[in-house]
Amino acid sequence: MNRWQEIWNKRRVQLADIDRTDKRALFLELKRIDGYDVVEDGIPYESFMKQHEEIRAALCLPEKGSVFEVGCGAGASLWLFQQDGYSVGGMDYSEQMIAVLTDVFRGGTLREAICAEARQLPREEKYDAVFSTSVFHYFPDESYAQEVMEGMLEKTRGNIAILDVHDATKEEEFFAFRRQLDPDYDEHYRGLNKLFYDRSFFEKFAKKHGLTVSFNPLALDGYWNAPFVYSVFFSREAERED
């Protein structure tokens, strides 16, 4: 088990104190479990809702369609999609996160809840779209990321979104910012590496598979990490035109 996985398996969960009929409170607690509680004052609920609408639009989901998330954590994003009437599935390598996911979705439209490495993504059951948020920087190298994207492509009949990708052109700025906030950052995060990506990596994948690729700034107002990351969207439009 790597150190990141160990950390996620130890995340503190407080769902017992949450009124599950309170959509806002439940969602924000799921996001806190997913790690959006570590820098500054947190992200406004309205920012998350705006981001969700933009993700849903980019995925071009059909009415009453289905969506799968790689690295779903506690299931905050999937829970929003379920509230919108979609059937959902997800996977995460943390047993703790999957336990929260199955608890939250008990009795709901959760098609799959898989505890496994991202590269072990089962491809038999298909979805209308697949996405991943704040996960790709945990991968050990681009070869691993390539394998995960191949699995995501086989998992869906439609589009793919990869959100919160660490920008290789902003690597130095990212670490300078973190060290400014935490002078002992290098010691605190020793052995907890992050992978930064050049856009050409995703462009090559799109070309290989006849996909259209686009890059957007991360649409999450109030997120301290936003200046250092971007989002990637793959569309099968080019494939359908052949």
Side-chain angles (χ1 to χ4, degrees):
M1 180 187 299
N2 64 48
R3 285 195 62 201
W4 278 122
Q5 188 174 13
E6 182 181 359
I7 288 170
W8 292 119
N9 274 330
K10 292 181 178 179
R11 285 295 288 177
R12 181 170 50 91
V13 177
Q14 297 179 320
L15 287 178
D17 302 325
I18 299 296
D19 178 1
R20 299 200 182 191
T21 64
D22 186 336
K23 177 179 177 180
R24 182 190 184 105
L26 177 58
F27 174 79
L28 288 176
E29 173 58 15
L30 293 176
K31 293 302 289 189
R32 186 203 64 77
I33 295 170
D34 283 343
Y36 287 86
D37 64 336
V38 294
V39 176
E40 298 180 346
D41 298 324
I43 302 167
Y45 174 76
E46 292 73 20
S47 293
F48 284 121
M49 295 303 102
K50 180 181 177 182
Q51 182 192 44
H52 172 66
E53 292 301 323
E54 293 184 6
I55 295 171
R56 188 174 65 176
L59 291 176
C60 299
L61 290 164
E63 187 176 355
K64 297 182 179 179
S66 58
V67 61
F68 186 94
E69 183 176 11
V70 175
C72 61
S77 296
L78 292 178
W79 187 77
L80 290 180
F81 278 108
Q82 186 195 52
Q83 296 296 300
D84 290 338
Y86 299 103
S87 63
V88 300
M91 71 179 298
D92 199 278
Y93 69 173
S94 167
E95 295 178 0
Q96 168 86 314
M97 296 295 105
I98 291 298
V100 175
L101 175 73
T102 54
D103 178 26
V104 170
F105 282 83
R106 190 170 48 224
T109 55
L110 182 63
R111 288 168 50 175
E112 293 180 286
I114 303 159
C115 185
E117 288 275 350
R119 72 194 309 174
Q120 298 170 330
L121 173 62
R123 308 176 187 188
E124 294 79 17
E125 189 163 353
K126 309 298 182 183
Y127 291 75
D128 293 310
V130 174
F131 73 103
S132 180
T133 303
S134 302
V135 169
F136 269 58
H137 56 273
Y138 293 121
F139 296 159
D141 50 44
E142 289 186 353
S143 176
Y144 189 107
Q146 175 83 19
E147 190 172 348
V148 174
M149 289 193 298
E150 296 284 354
M152 294 173 75
L153 187 61
E154 287 191 35
K155 188 72 173 175
T156 178
R157 299 177 287 264
N159 294 345
I160 297 171
I162 303 174
L163 311 172
D164 203 351
V165 174
H166 277 57
D167 189 343
T169 68
K170 302 289 184 64
E171 184 171 356
E172 291 185 8
E173 294 176 48
F174 170 84
F175 285 115
F177 178 79
R178 293 309 306 267
R179 289 166 184 144
Q180 182 180 5
L181 290 176
D182 178 6
D184 297 321
Y185 174 84
D186 294 292
E187 180 61 30
H188 292 159
Y189 284 82
R190 187 182 302 278
L192 297 173
N193 298 326
K194 292 182 182 293
L195 186 61
F196 290 75
Y197 295 85
D198 190 278
R199 288 168 175 76
S200 63
F201 171 71
F202 300 103
E203 290 170 342
K204 290 176 183 177
F205 181 82
K207 183 176 180 180
K208 175 183 176 181
H209 293 284
L211 306 173
T212 296
V213 62
S214 60
F215 305 97
N216 293 334
L218 184 70
L220 190 56
D221 296 337
Y223 183 31
W224 68 269
N225 203 27
F228 312 111
V229 299
Y230 58 89
S231 295
V232 185
F233 298 97
F234 292 108
S235 170
R236 293 181 183 270
E237 290 179 355
E239 191 174 83
R240 288 196 296 264
E241 290 173 359
D242 293 340

